[in-house]
Amino acid sequence: MPSATSDTLPHPLDPLSTGEIESAIGIVKKAHGDVFFNVVSLHEPRKAEMTKWLEDTASAPRPQRIADIVVIAPGGKVYDGLVDLADGKITKWELLDGLQPIITMEELVAVEHICRKDPKVIEQCEINGIPKEDMHKVYCDPWTIGFDERHGSKIRLQQALMYYRPNVDDCQYQYPLDFCPIYDAEKETIVAIDIPKVRRPLSKAAPINYHPAGVESAGGYRNNIKPINITQPEGVSFTMSGREIEWQNWKFHIGFNYREGIVLNNITFNDKGTVRPIFYRLSLAEMVVPYGNPEHPHQRKHAFDLGEYGAGYMTNSLALGCDCKGSIHYLDAEFPTRAGSVRTIKNAICIHEEDSGILFKHTDFRDESMIVTRARKLVIQQIFTAANYEYSIQWIFHQDGTIQPEIKLTGILNTYAMGPDEDTQGWGTQVYPGVNAHNHQHLFCLRIDPNVDGPNNTVFMADTVPSDAPVGSPENYYGNAFYAKRTKLTTTGEAKTDYNGDTSRTWDICNTSRLHPYSKKPSSYKLVSREVPRLLPKEGSLVWKRAGFARHAVHVTKYDDDQLWPAGRHVPQTSGEPSLGLPEWIGNGQQSIDDTDVVLWHTFGVTHIPAPEDFPVMPVEPITLLLRPRNFFASNPVLDVPPSFCSTPSQVAANGKGVTEAADRMSRLAFGEEKANGSVNGIGNANGNGCCGADGVNGTNGTNGANGH
Amino acid sequence: MPSATSDTLPHPLDPLSTGEIESAIGIVKKAHGDVFFNVVSLHEPRKAEMTKWLEDTASAPRPQRIADIVVIAPGGKVYDGLVDLADGKITKWELLDGLQPIITMEELVAVEHICRKDPKVIEQCEINGIPKEDMHKVYCDPWTIGFDERHGSKIRLQQALMYYRPNVDDCQYQYPLDFCPIYDAEKETIVAIDIPKVRRPLSKAAPINYHPAGVESAGGYRNNIKPINITQPEGVSFTMSGREIEWQNWKFHIGFNYREGIVLNNITFNDKGTVRPIFYRLSLAEMVVPYGNPEHPHQRKHAFDLGEYGAGYMTNSLALGCDCKGSIHYLDAEFPTRAGSVRTIKNAICIHEEDSGILFKHTDFRDESMIVTRARKLVIQQIFTAANYEYSIQWIFHQDGTIQPEIKLTGILNTYAMGPDEDTQGWGTQVYPGVNAHNHQHLFCLRIDPNVDGPNNTVFMADTVPSDAPVGSPENYYGNAFYAKRTKLTTTGEAKTDYNGDTSRTWDICNTSRLHPYSKKPSSYKLVSREVPRLLPKEGSLVWKRAGFARHAVHVTKYDDDQLWPAGRHVPQTSGEPSLGLPEWIGNGQQSIDDTDVVLWHTFGVTHIPAPEDFPVMPVEPITLLLRPRNFFASNPVLDVPPSFCSTPSQVAANGKGVTEAADRMSRLAFGEEKANGSVNGIGNANGNGCCGADGVNGTNGTNGANGH
């Protein structure tokens, strides 16, 4: 039985352990006294050094363990630092000017308590119709202020989105309040309140709740869902060595950090004995959620959930049989607390296999000789909670070499108060009486650091288009000619490209020095992504300036160890002047990205015009894309997956003798003997006898019933 | 336990039974002697009549059972007929001029046998390097000729795509022959052979096979896939009454015909006791697969698989534990044979439930009170084989009111011979030595006959766009304003609309006389489809003329009982002059489709530029789209699905007392006690104790570890 083991030494890409975090914190405190710790995280080994080590782990120098530190010292002074854990030395200590580091959970939860005690907030609550003795029923979702030109970025600020709960268990998002306090995280006080010109009173609507009491009062739970059991009595098909996983020819390292959450490194595929590199590093690197209501101060609602709060810091502790079913392996996460202790999030990552339907099938219509083979997928998942919203991030690996990042959106809409006779003017939807859910986008930026048969890759844009030759011309007489037009992206400027649904545009990450023996096309991985809305905030808008990565579906840059996060390293309260991250890295766009170590940044997502069906909690909405091998493998790489059933023409001619019959024996007929169309063959199948054979041959006789005539 | 029962009388939409087919055939033979039967299928009740009956099955007249007949009489005379089965009368008998009906399996399988005996074919095989004594190793995939201006449509013709098998069990698609015989189905002879100017010799490459012997010789099967068992010990959650299914508030009738395969009728949703109509009829109504190589005669490769061959006629007999896992209910299909007997395809349709991951989840970051509820989906599937290709058609129903048609492509690429030094010129890909797989599209046309809260519906096009107001203007000062621009499609001409990925274009099927109480928007179902390539054959091309439905992503027509199939009723050998089906129905485009009984035709699909990974058999490539309720339900319709875990703030405050804990008890830790991050909680979960609660609370303490300070 495969088991999870781990070396004594951490893998150079393993997250910092509890001990390493503690020692880093100790070293910093010794040198700089009491400070607030925003970040104590692995400073990833430089790629050159790491690559050398991977090539020869035995004798190449093992990359040092270095902690990446961000602290806030008294007076709101922000420092970036590096601590060498082996030497116990601080190797970098830099005071930042006008930059605000990521917000910690502790900073967030503090706001609500301050708001409840603040006289001006209490006054506004009273204007909204909440008596001062009910302030314990007032809640707020604390967000970074984003950027507000009146306050700038020198003072560390949050905006408090205000709500009310008649009862502690009510869903607060159905009782939004119409004003917005601004909180100074250094002084721990409310420094201002944004109050709308037109006031909106607290909704008097009866609550709608998804908790048991709420459901019972609305008629109770449905009782007609029979259990589906998913079990792996012989164990799972993957093995773990520390944080390295091996499954169906795949091998990679599963990292995790405060910022991006799951990070996958050194992704290789064992191609008939040859271990071929595909990606050096994959992660969800940033996202932005711009809201579309122009009324002040809603323009500040455009959360960079990774850069401002952290997909790691906000990640859920997952539970067996709830978030996943089957046989699950979990990995925990360790983070610093603001005060300098260590917190553990148990089961931060879940890893499991799923049956994935048919992998391939073919039947020969002549004799119904056929093959059917079932597919399996591996899912690496985390789920994080960003105030109201939940994001499930799944990294799905398929046997055929495809990698499928999938994001599932659920949780609760961000909502704002709405007057009884108010018109949303199209900027939102009244999803419940007095509840205005504003239009918004979820734009995710995937950082793809390719290593397709080696570090030097080139990106092409591929568009399927008709031949230029007109109908009736000798080259295209019948007008049916079409092909894939491939455009090489040679500079970072050229590589700023948008989606084109009309041509089913894709992007090919190619190794141009490795041509396929048959197709003569370069070995490649193709980015196939179909949910790619444009950034709807206009050019020159606040969001456009701050979220440079979202201006195009694809950017490509030359690899740089320090370019991990496309909206910049420190995102809160950036003005977008200049735009940090991708725009500054790309600059005039002259840098060559032809046949070199490149990084592809892909922005995709959804535009969400809310509807009442999304309230009070939103059924999962999935977004997905594919990274597919094209001209990478010699042929279909899954021919060696054992089929459920296979019969050849010669076996069919021999009345099915010698067919491969490995149908799943656990499957049953839904209604057993009572099956409306019950038949001996049908029942037979339940016992695994005959499978496609028996039915297939019947089918044959049927299908070709008149062959003889 | 739910069971499958059925009335004594067939439901008016049930396919013709064996007895009904036999009686229809008997009546025709009695009147017209020996003829070949191409179609004996249910002539569906007229909608007006059917609707009356559905409203009052007790006393409204039950629609008559009528057989739709197409026969070919001696001399190649084609007749369309109707037989009233109750009266035993032929009520319509019409001679068609220059129209060819759908091709039967028997017509197809006959071609290969004729080819092997034809001297001119034998001669061409010898030129290709196949000795005449090896003619039994020569195979052909018979296709309708499509349309060839040299032969017209009065003679019933097929084209034979030629292949060779060194061994009877070899995959023939790796040994294509370069010539194309043309077969006269009436005379059962080869009447012509298309021979390319430049000849391409038979490939001498070693075979690559996916059958066990082939896999064993290539290194054998992988042995590292552990079983995943999926069981429903308490049975399934759906019930069947004849062909009517009820599941999770859904109810509908499952029909099946030779042409479209699965047809779903009278789709309703029980909304808290009110049965609300949503769709009158849903089906995949047509498809076309244009190939992109301009060299003659490849322009003839653009199969209308439904109209020319039939998704029903070509459907597979499915098998338990192969095509589906779990608890499956099957429905058989009965069809006439060409000679006038009846053939049964066992298990033509499979019906089963699947766990569908998380339905919704939310965690309150303050205290980690949370809810997580798992989803379930219902899958109605058929798989049909179109010569080389396989298509799995899945109709997926979700608990939240979403319907998700999904098509999975697998099987084998259509291939053509390629000379050793030949260049594909971009029209195809050499996927194996000597094998040229031509570029092609799979364009599917979904026929959506909506009934959203009643028959009178209106279609709007919805585009998410920025506000027109410039950045800095009072209406859009920060430039973040965006909204859903809705365009009403008032006439059939206006309704010819294309996809726009840039605006995430969708189409809303609305009942404008039913506004949502909260959003004030019309009750609607939204078509969300992201894989919508344009038709790549040019305007005026043969394919463009014949496949009018594929010219636009969406057409909308006023309902007409006789307008079922968008490329026309009889598709083989149509010239496209005039274009049949949608173009003729729409005409000058002046007909109003505003607030009336409409049909929406949606063309979607993929453009396939082949790669060696697709050969010799193609791993499944899925295409999917959604029909989503928007402003249809008062609120989230799945709140009453029992959660796996739910804790409220008051329960968390009471140390988890009274939480709802219904985690799946069958789930286990992948490595049991050996779990690298093993923990009492972790193990506890395996026994269902604590679930999210225990971990959640730990998480809480962790997450908010510094609350106190």
Side-chain angles (χ1 to χ4, degrees), chain B residues 13-68:
Chain B
L13 292 167
D14 282 354
L16 296 184
S17 66
T18 298
E20 291 174 316
I21 296 171
E22 285 168 343
S23 104
I25 287 170
I27 292 161
V28 170
K29 282 188 165 178
K30 188 153 170 247
H32 301 283
D34 270 349
V35 293
F36 289 126
F37 290 86
N38 288 67
V39 177
V40 179
S41 187
L42 176 71
H43 179 69
E44 293 181 19
R46 311 291 82 181
K47 192 191 249 187
E49 176 190 20
M50 187 66 196
T51 305
K52 280 203 192 67
W53 182 77
L54 287 168
E55 283 163 2
D56 180 7
T57 53
S59 53
R62 189 183 189 91
Q64 290 301 311
R65 300 287 286 172
I66 296 172
D68 179 352

Side-chain angles (χ1 to χ4, degrees), chain A residues 2-3 112 140-141 149 165 169 212 221-222 224-226 229-231 235 237 248 291-293 299 316 320-323 325-330 343 346-347 358-359 361-364 366 374 376 385 387-388 390 410-411 427 429-430 439 467-469 475 478-482 504 516 518-519 521 533 538 541-542 609 612-615 617 619-620 630-634 636 640 649-650 660 664 666-671 674 677 679 686 691-692 695 702 706, chain B residues 2-3 106 112 140-141 149 165 169 212 221-222 224-226 229-231 235 237 248 291-294 299 316 320-323 325-328 330-331 343 346-347 358-359 361-364 366 374 376 385 387-388 390 410-411 429-430 439 467-469 478-482 504 516 518-519 521 533 538 541 609 612-615 617 619-620 630-634 636 640 649-650 660 664 666-671 674-675 677 679 686 691-692 695 702:
Chain A
S3 75
E112 191 166 83
C140 83
D141 282 3
E149 69 279 15
R165 297 184 191 175
D169 293 337
Y221 288 106
R222 62 185 73 178
N224 54 6
I225 308 174
K226 301 291 170 63
N229 295 337
I230 301 172
T231 55
S237 314
Q248 297 293 295
Y291 284 75
N293 188 316
Q299 79 282 354
N316 289 189
L320 201 62
C322 296
D323 301 296
K325 289 180 68 165
S327 298
I328 322 294
H329 182 57
Y330 293 99
R343 67 173 167 121
K346 296 210 65 62
N347 301 349
I358 289 172
L359 177 58
K361 180 175 188 178
H362 181 61
T363 301
D364 188 326
R366 295 166 183 80
R374 287 195 75 79
R376 189 65 66 91
T385 297
N388 52 296
E390 259 70 15
T410 179
W427 310 126
T429 302
Q430 179 169 264
N439 304 338
S467 158
D468 294 335
E475 305 77 19
Y478 293 93
N480 63 304
F482 60 87
S504 307
H516 192 283
Y518 309 149
S519 72
K521 298 178 182 178
K538 294 190 147 175
S541 68
L542 178 60
I609 306 297
E613 284 85 353
D614 303 328
F615 197 76
V617 62
V620 155
R630 304 303 275 170
N631 304 286
F632 183 86
F633 294 110
N636 177 336
D640 66 334
S650 56
T660 302
D664 163 57
M666 302 300 291
S667 295
R668 292 288 180 268
L669 296 176
F671 306 117
E674 296 170 21
N677 302 282
S679 72
C691 181
C692 319
D695 283 2
Chain B
S3 75
E106 297 96 326
E112 191 166 83
C140 84
D141 283 5
E149 68 280 16
R165 296 185 191 176
D169 293 339
Y221 287 107
R222 61 185 74 178
N224 55 6
I225 307 174
K226 300 292 171 62
N229 295 337
I230 300 172
T231 55
S237 314
Q248 297 294 295
Y291 283 76
N293 188 317
Q299 80 281 355
N316 290 188
L320 200 62
C322 295
D323 301 295
K325 288 180 69 164
S327 298
I328 322 293
Y330 292 101
L331 298 174
R343 68 175 168 117
K346 297 210 64 64
N347 301 348
I358 291 172
L359 177 58
K361 180 175 189 180
H362 180 60
T363 301
D364 188 327
R366 296 164 183 81
R374 287 196 75 79
R376 189 67 65 90
T385 298
N388 52 295
E390 259 69 16
T410 179
T429 303
Q430 179 169 263
N439 305 337
S467 159
D468 294 335
Y478 293 94
N480 63 303
F482 60 88
S504 307
H516 193 282
Y518 309 150
S519 71
K521 297 178 184 178
K538 294 189 147 180
S541 67
I609 306 298
E613 283 85 354
D614 303 327
F615 197 76
V617 61
V620 155
R630 304 304 275 170
N631 304 286
F632 183 86
F633 294 110
N636 177 335
D640 66 334
S650 56
T660 303
D664 163 57
M666 302 301 292
S667 293
R668 293 287 181 268
L669 295 175
F671 306 117
E674 296 169 20
K675 179 165 178 268
N677 304 281
S679 72
C691 183
C692 319
D695 283 2

Side-chain angles (χ1 to χ4, degrees), chain A residues 417-440:
Chain A
M418 179 159 168
D421 308 319
E422 185 177 352
D423 180 344
T424 65
Q425 299 179 289
W427 310 126
T429 302
Q430 179 169 264
V431 293
Y432 198 68
V435 181
N436 185 353
H438 295 160
N439 304 338
H440 57 282

Side-chain angles (χ1 to χ4, degrees), chain B residues 145 148-155 157 182 191-192 300 573:
Chain B
I145 196 164
D148 188 320
E149 68 280 16
R150 299 170 304 173
H151 303 286
S153 56
K154 299 216 181 262
I155 304 164
L157 298 172
I182 294 172
V191 293
R300 289 191 313 229
Q573 295 178 248

Side-chain angles (χ1 to χ4, degrees), chain A residues 411-665:
Chain A
I412 304 181
L413 293 162
N414 169 273
T415 59
Y416 184 65
M418 179 159 168
D421 308 319
E422 185 177 352
D423 180 344
T424 65
Q425 299 179 289
W427 310 126
T429 302
Q430 179 169 264
V431 293
Y432 198 68
V435 181
N436 185 353
H438 295 160
N439 304 338
H440 57 282
Q441 299 188 283
H442 301 267
L443 300 175
F444 304 92
C445 186
L446 200 63
R447 183 180 183 277
I448 301 171
D449 181 353
N451 198 13
V452 178
D453 285 322
N456 291 348
N457 294 156
T458 307
V459 179
F460 293 77
M461 181 170 74
D463 294 276
T464 52
V465 296
S467 158
D468 294 335
V471 180
S473 65
E475 305 77 19
N476 191 19
Y477 187 77
Y478 293 93
N480 63 304
F482 60 87
Y483 68 108
K485 182 178 185 179
R486 300 172 78 248
T487 308
K488 187 202 256 190
L489 306 179
T490 58
T491 66
T492 53
E494 281 177 16
K496 293 183 197 169
T497 46
D498 301 317
Y499 182 58
N500 184 344
D502 197 42
T503 63
S504 307
R505 180 169 290 171
T506 58
W507 287 265
D508 298 343
I509 303 168
C510 300
N511 187 321
T512 52
S513 51
R514 174 139 180 173
L515 300 186
H516 192 283
Y518 309 149
S519 72
K520 309 293 189 286
K521 298 178 182 178
S523 172
S524 75
Y525 259 67
K526 180 182 282 293
L527 170 65
V528 182
S529 185
R530 301 293 176 224
E531 304 201 68
V532 194
R534 64 181 281 192
L535 174 69
L536 288 172
K538 294 190 147 175
E539 177 164 358
S541 68
L542 178 60
V543 178
W544 184 90
K545 287 186 288 184
R546 296 191 73 211
F549 67 87
R551 296 173 196 168
H552 300 285
V554 163
H555 294 80
V556 183
T557 55
K558 192 170 188 338
Y559 177 83
D560 180 316
D561 282 322
D562 293 320
Q563 294 179 0
L564 283 180
W565 302 320
R569 172 171 165 85
H570 299 292
V571 177
Q573 295 178 246
T574 49
S575 65
E577 294 174 342
S579 296
L580 302 181
L582 271 175
E584 64 178 333
W585 301 335
I586 289 172
N588 64 7
Q590 295 309 303
Q591 186 164 31
S592 170
I593 48 169
D594 183 1
D595 194 22
T596 182
D597 189 359
V598 298
V599 175
L600 188 155
W601 311 79
H602 173 49
T603 298
F604 64 100
V606 290
T607 300
H608 191 175
I609 306 297
E613 284 85 353
D614 303 328
F615 197 76
V617 62
M618 193 172 66
V620 155
E621 181 173 1
I623 316 166
T624 196
L625 56 87
L626 302 175
L627 292 161
R628 300 184 71 200
R630 304 303 275 170
N631 304 286
F632 183 86
F633 294 110
S635 298
N636 177 336
V638 289
L639 296 184
D640 66 334
V641 174
S644 297
F645 182 86
C646 182
S647 62
T648 62
S650 56
Q651 289 166 336
V652 170
N655 298 315
K657 288 195 182 62
V659 301
T660 302
E661 209 292 82
D664 163 57
R665 292 291 190 284

Side-chain angles (χ1 to χ4, degrees), chain B residues 230-243:
Chain B
I230 300 172
T231 55
Q232 291 195 269
E234 298 175 29
V236 295
S237 314
F238 59 86
T239 58
M240 301 291 303
S241 169
R243 300 182 71 106

